[in-house]
Amino acid sequence: MNTQQLILMLKQQLAHIEQEALQHDNQLGDQQKKTLQHVERFNHSVFIQEGAQLSPCIVQLRKDIAQLEKQLTLNLAKSTIELSCLRIQDRFTALRRALLTTGLNLKSAEQKKASNRARYAKKQQQSVQDSGFGWIANNIMQNSHQLYQELNKHFAWANKIEFKIQQMESNLEVCHAADKITLQNDILLMHRRLGKCRQAISYIEERIQHFERPRQSLNR
């Protein structure tokens, strides 16, 4: 095979695989493109390309063939020509393999996303349980109406506790010395209850924002 036949054969192969790559890319749905958006399809030594679409690889292959044609015209060293041919062959092989394995890449990416979601959900659930407000998430976190009811309830509790603390602190000034330590401990306990109540209020307010955010996005 002479040099002209070699270049002609490579250009024919390129034209054929270009049609396959374009057809492949046109058949991809928006969700599939999004799923593979940051997935590396190739080793960087073969193609610098990531994501779902494969037609950008054709541009790199076309440059390689043009470079080889120039090298042959300049009659460069045999080792240089062989190296270019091997690079082109490796890229053709890698692109054909990528065309056949898009389905597997999609499945792998979806499984990875599902695993990450499950891990995040588990972490969030553990965080809720560790916060001491797991009973809120389990019992009343179904919709924003229930959340507002619970928020109002906690505000009422906080007001009652604050009023109780004020009463106890007033009594502390006039109570018998022997009773002061007990009353001080009771006041400290009430402050702790108030702190817990305020933490619950903050938590519920965050949950309300979580529920309301999708609505706000839809109303824009």
Side-chain angles (χ1 to χ4, degrees):
M1 183 184 294
N2 60 37
T3 57
Q4 288 182 340
Q5 289 175 322
L6 172 63
I7 295 299
L8 179 61
M9 182 193 71
L10 289 174
K11 287 182 177 179
Q12 288 174 341
Q13 290 181 4
L14 179 65
H16 179 72
I17 203 167
E18 181 177 14
Q19 291 303 311
E20 290 186 38
L22 289 171
Q23 184 179 2
H24 166 275
D25 291 355
N26 288 334
Q27 290 175 344
L28 288 168
D30 291 339
Q31 185 57 46
Q32 291 174 316
K33 291 178 184 178
K34 186 177 180 181
T35 299
L36 294 177
Q37 185 176 0
H38 300 296
V39 174
E40 293 184 3
R41 305 295 301 276
F42 305 97
N43 187 306
H44 280 180
S45 63
V46 181
F47 282 116
I48 301 174
Q49 171 65 19
E50 64 180 22
Q53 294 180 300
L54 298 175
S55 52
C57 299
I58 301 298
V59 177
Q60 296 178 57
L61 259 172
R62 186 175 287 114
K63 287 180 179 178
D64 286 341
I65 294 172
Q67 184 181 32
L68 175 62
E69 189 173 13
K70 186 176 181 181
Q71 290 171 346
L72 289 167
T73 302
L74 295 172
N75 199 24
L76 296 185
K78 184 180 178 180
S79 58
T80 303
I81 302 296
E82 287 180 349
L83 187 62
S84 293
C85 288
L86 286 173
R87 184 184 299 113
I88 291 170
Q89 183 181 1
D90 286 344
R91 286 185 167 176
F92 268 118
T93 301
L95 184 52
R96 290 192 186 98
R97 187 184 301 118
L99 285 165
L100 292 171
T101 57
T102 292
L104 292 175
N105 283 312
L106 279 166
K107 188 174 181 180
S108 175
E110 288 290 354
Q111 288 176 341
K112 185 177 180 181
K113 283 174 66 177
S115 177
N116 289 339
R117 283 195 298 265
R119 193 180 300 115
Y120 177 77
K122 186 176 180 181
K123 184 178 179 181
Q124 287 292 98
Q125 184 180 16
Q126 187 61 49
S127 176
V128 170
Q129 298 300 331
D130 291 345
S131 71
F133 307 129
W135 59 275
I136 297 176
N138 292 332
N139 295 321
I140 55 89
M141 290 305 182
Q142 302 305 313
N143 58 59
S144 58
H145 177 69
Q146 289 175 303
L147 286 166
Y148 279 113
Q149 286 183 327
E150 196 66 25
L151 183 63
N152 290 333
K153 191 189 299 181
H154 276 76
F155 274 128
W157 286 344
N159 289 335
K160 287 181 180 178
I161 295 172
E162 287 173 347
F163 181 71
K164 183 69 175 176
I165 290 172
Q166 289 176 357
Q167 286 184 318
M168 295 170 74
E169 287 177 342
S170 297
N171 293 334
L172 187 63
E173 297 176 2
V174 296
C175 75
H176 194 275
D179 297 326
K180 276 195 175 183
I181 294 178
T182 301
L183 189 53
Q184 285 172 340
N185 288 333
D186 290 342
I187 292 172
L188 182 60
L189 182 62
M190 293 300 291
H191 273 291
R192 287 174 181 168
R193 287 180 60 188
L194 180 60
K196 273 288 184 182
C197 192
R198 285 173 175 166
Q199 286 177 354
I201 288 171
S202 297
Y203 178 78
I204 296 168
E205 287 175 336
E206 288 177 5
R207 297 300 299 174
I208 289 173
Q209 290 179 358
H210 172 76
F211 274 101
E212 296 294 338
R213 196 174 296 121
R215 293 183 188 176
Q216 292 170 359
S217 300
L218 287 173
N219 291 332
R220 285 176 183 173

